[in-house]
Amino acid sequence: EVRLVESGGGLVKPGGSLRLSCAASGFTFSNAWMSWVRQVPGKGLEWVGHIESKTDGGTTDYAAPVKGRFTISRDDSKNMLYLQMNSLKPEDTAVYYCTTEDNWNYDYWGQGTLVTVSS
Amino acid sequence: QSALTQPASVSGSPGQSITISCTGTTSDIGSYTLVSWYQQHPGKGPKLMIFEVNKRPSGISNRFSGSKSGNTASLTISGLQAEDEADYYCCSYAGSSAVVFGGGTKLTVL
């Protein structure tokens, strides 16, 4: 069974940093492309970015609102996905989901972790 | 990229069929067959229901179907059941390694 468990969310001040983690199990993590998608509570979904598998190049891509501030990385030895978020803004407040990705389809999702950016 | 346009809400009675539309542009839905649909129940992570316009993942009921015409994609749910009540989101590849989601549609089963 595929399982994705996000952690690391919390309250952070504007301009601060936070690192989210996603523990993956039930599939061959090293072969998987992985994404982060966020959702403002009560609102719609927004793609944050993704990371290719290392065998496919390991390239990362980001949505315009987070480019230059967020960094996605992976540790295939630990089956872990990370999202480093710097220079956080109030509009980054959202639930952040870790997902598997297959040809721009997001087939498995975690339960999400809430990030609140507020002074 | 701007979000894809979905109706805020739709409703139907058990056993009926409903269709949720998702309107984009020639830069996203109109140019790619990479349209997917997600179901989200309150407090849960989304679940993939349809991918590549009209394909169903293993385990998804054939009551769910997808289609596309021009810049608009559609999700149809036939034989509505109480457990179908949820929020539904469309999603499309938008080129240049970018993705856009719809604003979501709340389905109420009367």
Side-chain angles (χ1 to χ4, degrees), chain A residues 34-72:
Chain A
M34 300 294 297
S35 284
W36 288 96
V37 177
R38 66 185 181 183
Q39 183 174 35
V40 174
K43 301 294 184 184
L45 300 167
E46 181 184 24
W47 181 73
V48 172
H50 73 182
I51 185 167
E52 299 175 350
S53 64
K54 284 193 168 59
T55 54
D56 287 330
T59 299
T60 52
D61 290 296
Y62 301 93
V66 308
K67 199 166 188 176
R69 299 187 298 123
F70 289 13
T71 302
I72 298 174

Side-chain angles (χ1 to χ4, degrees), chain A residues 37 39 43-47 50 61-62 97 103-107 109-111, chain B residues 34 36 38 40 43-46 48 51-52 89 91 93 97-99 101 103:
Chain A
V37 177
Q39 183 174 35
K43 301 294 184 184
L45 300 167
E46 181 184 24
W47 181 73
H50 73 182
D61 290 296
Y62 301 93
Y97 293 102
N103 197 27
W104 303 100
N105 304 300
Y106 307 100
D107 29 14
W109 298 62
Q111 288 293 98
Chain B
L34 297 171
S36 50
Y38 302 86
Q40 186 179 33
K44 303 288 189 182
L48 178 66
F51 67 100
E52 292 174 11
Y89 295 91
C91 176
Y93 181 64
S97 298
V99 169
F101 282 91

